[in-house]
Amino acid sequence: MPELPEVETVRRHLAERIEGDVIRDVEVRLPRIVRRPALNLFAERLKEQGIRRVGRRGKYLLFQLDQVLLVSHLRMEGRYAVANPSEPELPHTHVVFRLASGRELRYADVRQFGTMDAVLKGEPLPKGLAELGPEPFDPALDGAALHERWRGRRAPIKSMLLDQRQIAGLGNIYVDEALFAAGIHPLTPAGAVGAEELDGLLREIRDVLARAIREGGSSVRSFRDGYGRHGGFQIQLAVYGRAGQPCPRCGGAIQKIKVAGRGTHVCPACQPISVAAPMGTGVNA
DNA sequence: CATGGGTCCTGAGTGC
DNA sequence: TGCACTCAGGACCCAT
């Protein structure tokens, strides 16, 4: 559930608190969180590494250490906390980094979906990170570029927006919100959306992400920042989680459908499926 | 290659 | 009240 705004919120919090500290020791209690390298090497690599910078790319947190890049993905419910050893741990704490300052960086994850990779310079990046598409705020990204890239693609535009190789950082919530704001139906074939319309969509993507970052993210299920605080953006969500409630634009009922296997929120009146579909199969009314 | 569906995992929600 | 069941979904894997 953490998408770009939530990961950015976590990044800012951690950067403030642990940049300049040093990892003394690592305790991994749930091996499945660590993907590479092997468990014993993972802790070994991180020992005595200084934390230079906490960065972000898409939904990945990037801990830039002295000689190692620690790549962390929160997936659904991963959470970090910086705490003193005497403070109680969150339930489901799976990895603990003991820091030179005496504090601990703790990783908790109810769903156990999150991952960590400790990568040395010269080693290949984790696949998902290596193949990541442009950041949504990349100025080189525009409607014309997307239109060209998606030419002939019949997959629903929602699938494309969720595909991290196309654009980095979007997830189920902000895709639904951006498509609603742009007036595009999630099932519209990606290749059928014009360049100008894609410019409008990009504008809405950037707008919704920027507003969500400003609010510290959305807490729809379980998201908390490093202090355990909720984000505040969920109250501004126009369609996500509002099935059956009135559309803020036209007042009609918001529908919930399934797209790409994901719960999808749409206002059928404000988000018509583009008629500029290929070849005259069925035309819609 | 493009596309869609299954999988991991646990807690919250639902219905009887 | 208690219990069985379904759902939630990011990235990855696999079949078509």
Side-chain angles (χ1 to χ4, degrees):
Chain A
M1 195 230 73
E3 306 180 31
L4 190 152
E6 291 75 32
V7 178
E8 177 62 19
T9 299
V10 172
R11 184 201 70 76
R12 290 178 181 183
H13 176 86
L14 292 179
E16 215 169 276
R17 304 202 66 194
I18 65 169
E19 281 181 359
D21 215 324
V22 178
I23 297 173
R24 276 283 132 82
D25 203 10
V26 184
E27 180 188 346
V28 179
R29 301 171 189 168
L30 185 67
R32 59 174 297 130
I33 300 293
V34 174
R35 295 197 303 187
R36 277 185 310 182
L39 205 49
N40 55 328
L41 295 177
F42 178 80
E44 210 50 49
R45 276 187 183 185
L46 298 179
K47 243 174 227 177
E48 301 308 324
Q49 288 286 312
I51 302 168
R52 296 190 177 177
R53 211 169 85 79
V54 183
R56 180 194 59 77
R57 177 85 168 85
K59 302 175 198 171
Y60 290 87
L61 277 171
L62 304 176
F63 298 84
Q64 294 172 15
L65 313 179
D66 291 333
Q67 279 95 24
V68 182
L69 179 67
L70 175 61
V71 179
S72 170
H73 199 300
L74 306 175
R75 283 300 220 286
M76 301 302 300
E77 307 203 18
R79 292 169 62 176
Y80 277 101
V82 179
N84 291 311
S86 60
E87 297 177 69
E89 286 181 357
L90 287 171
H92 308 284
T93 294
H94 302 312
V95 184
V96 178
F97 304 80
R98 296 190 180 82
L99 305 179
S101 62
R103 298 170 304 166
E104 295 176 342
L105 172 65
R106 299 165 174 172
Y107 179 76
D109 189 342
V110 173
R111 229 75 157 261
Q112 310 183 6
F113 280 3
T115 60
M116 294 184 192
D117 289 82
V119 183
L120 294 178
K121 286 184 180 89
E123 287 184 339
L125 293 173
K127 193 159 172 285
L129 179 58
E131 296 179 359
L132 211 52
E135 288 289 312
F137 293 103
D138 183 343
L141 183 63
D142 61 16
L146 285 181
H147 185 66
E148 179 58 31
R149 179 136 201 216
W150 293 346
R151 181 181 305 262
R153 298 292 295 267
R154 286 162 306 148
I157 188 155
K158 172 158 179 174
S159 301
M160 288 301 191
L161 295 174
L162 288 173
D163 183 345
Q164 301 300 299
R165 295 169 301 185
Q166 306 294 324
I167 301 179
L170 296 174
N172 205 38
I173 296 173
Y174 296 110
V175 164
D176 280 6
E177 292 297 311
L179 285 171
F180 168 77
I184 299 171
H185 196 287
L187 283 172
T188 309
V193 185
E196 297 77 20
E197 221 177 337
L198 289 171
D199 269 323
L201 174 59
L202 268 176
R203 195 162 53 241
E204 300 299 346
I205 287 172
R206 287 165 175 159
D207 180 69
V208 71
L209 292 179
R211 289 191 292 125
I213 290 171
R214 216 175 299 140
E215 296 294 328
S218 301
S219 294
V220 165
R221 272 185 87 83
S222 62
F223 174 72
R224 301 288 188 281
D225 70 13
Y227 290 114
R229 286 184 307 217
H230 286 78
F233 192 67
Q234 62 280 3
I235 60 172
Q236 292 188 39
L237 296 174
V239 288
Y240 187 87
R242 300 192 60 244
Q245 297 175 47
C247 164
R249 204 168 142 260
C250 76
I254 292 164
Q255 252 179 23
K256 184 164 181 188
I257 60 176
K258 209 99 176 165
V259 180
R262 298 288 169 254
T264 299
H265 308 76
V266 58
C267 172
C270 298
Q271 296 168 263
I273 295 189
S274 173
V275 190
M279 304 313 281
T281 24
V283 191
N284 39 23

